């Protein structure tokens, strides 16, 4: 797993992944930053939430074309949200990541994930998520790049 010092929202080519809930809310954290910078990513995410049930959404991914070279992947890795407790469903997050990796391999795209994917406000454990990423890299023989801001 390669870790780079970069704001994931500044990536211009490839697939930017971030975890979302099934409630149709991108109200804080990286999801809110993506909503503000790439409004169409929120619009498509909201459409998914309004169309499908929580059960159908959990583990799914809504991939949204931003430019010819950039895609935002909304990973449905949690149903609820809040500042207390663990909201990340590791199985759902892994399923969504697998779908992104398969699409990236097919299209020749690079996959980027934020440092602490599913671990900040969603309450997951980075050791668990980073091991998941490493296993997926080995399984698919691909590299996932982790974007980490300075100071995190």
């Amino acid at each position: 797993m390669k870790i780079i010092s970069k704001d994931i929202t500044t990536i211009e080519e490839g697939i930017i992944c971030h975890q979302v809930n099934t409630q149709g809310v991108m109200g804080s954290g990286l999801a809110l930053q993506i909503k503000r910078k790439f409004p169409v990513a929120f619009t498509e995410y909201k459409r998914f939430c309004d169309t499908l049930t929580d059960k159908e959404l959990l583990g799914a991914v809504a991939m949204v074309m931003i430019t010819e070279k950039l895609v935002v992947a909304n990973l449905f890795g949690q149903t609820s949200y809040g500042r207390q407790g663990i909201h990340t469903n590791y199985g759902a997050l892994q399923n969504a990541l697998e779908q992104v990796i398969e699409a990236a391999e097919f299209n020749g795209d690079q996959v980027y994930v934020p440092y602490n994917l599913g671990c900040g406000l969603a309450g997951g454990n980075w050791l668990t998520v980073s091991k998941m990423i490493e296993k997926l890299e080995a399984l698919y023989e691909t590299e996932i790049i982790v974007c980490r801001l300075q100071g995190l």
Side-chain angles (χ1 to χ4, degrees):
M1 175 172 51
K2 181 178 181 180
I3 299 176
I4 62 172
S5 180
K6 188 168 184 74
D7 178 345
I8 197 167
T9 65
T10 65
I11 297 296
E12 296 178 352
E13 187 173 326
I15 302 173
I16 297 173
C17 298
H18 74 116
Q19 182 168 291
V20 294
N21 60 62
T22 61
Q23 305 304 306
V25 178
M26 283 186 176
S28 58
L30 179 57
L32 180 59
Q33 291 175 46
I34 287 176
K35 175 182 177 179
R36 288 178 176 157
K37 184 161 184 176
F38 310 113
V40 68
F42 174 74
T43 303
E44 285 301 303
Y45 155 76
K46 183 75 170 116
R47 186 179 64 77
F48 264 65
C49 292
D50 291 344
T51 306
L52 303 170
T53 67
D54 285 355
K55 186 176 180 180
E56 292 169 319
L57 287 169
L58 197 58
V61 59
M63 295 182 67
V64 182
M65 183 78 72
I66 304 300
T67 68
E68 261 186 44
K69 296 181 179 183
L70 182 66
V71 172
V72 168
N74 297 303
L75 310 174
F76 288 94
Q78 64 189 86
T79 51
S80 59
Y81 63 92
R83 299 197 182 268
Q84 301 294 322
I86 299 172
H87 302 283
T88 295
N89 177 314
Y90 297 116
L93 179 57
Q94 179 173 327
N95 190 56
L97 274 172
E98 286 176 350
Q99 293 173 65
V100 171
I101 293 167
E102 289 170 0
E105 285 185 337
F106 183 79
N107 294 315
D109 291 325
Q110 179 62 60
V111 177
Y112 297 88
V113 300
Y115 182 80
N116 272 342
L117 173 67
C119 300
L121 296 172
N125 179 289
W126 178 241
L127 182 60
T128 301
V129 174
S130 63
K131 285 184 178 184
M132 175 195 308
I133 291 169
E134 289 171 348
K135 286 179 183 176
L136 289 172
E137 285 180 319
L139 178 66
Y140 287 94
E141 298 179 356
T142 191
E143 182 179 61
I144 297 171
I145 298 179
V146 177
C147 295
R148 182 176 187 174
L149 291 174
Q150 291 290 358
L152 291 180

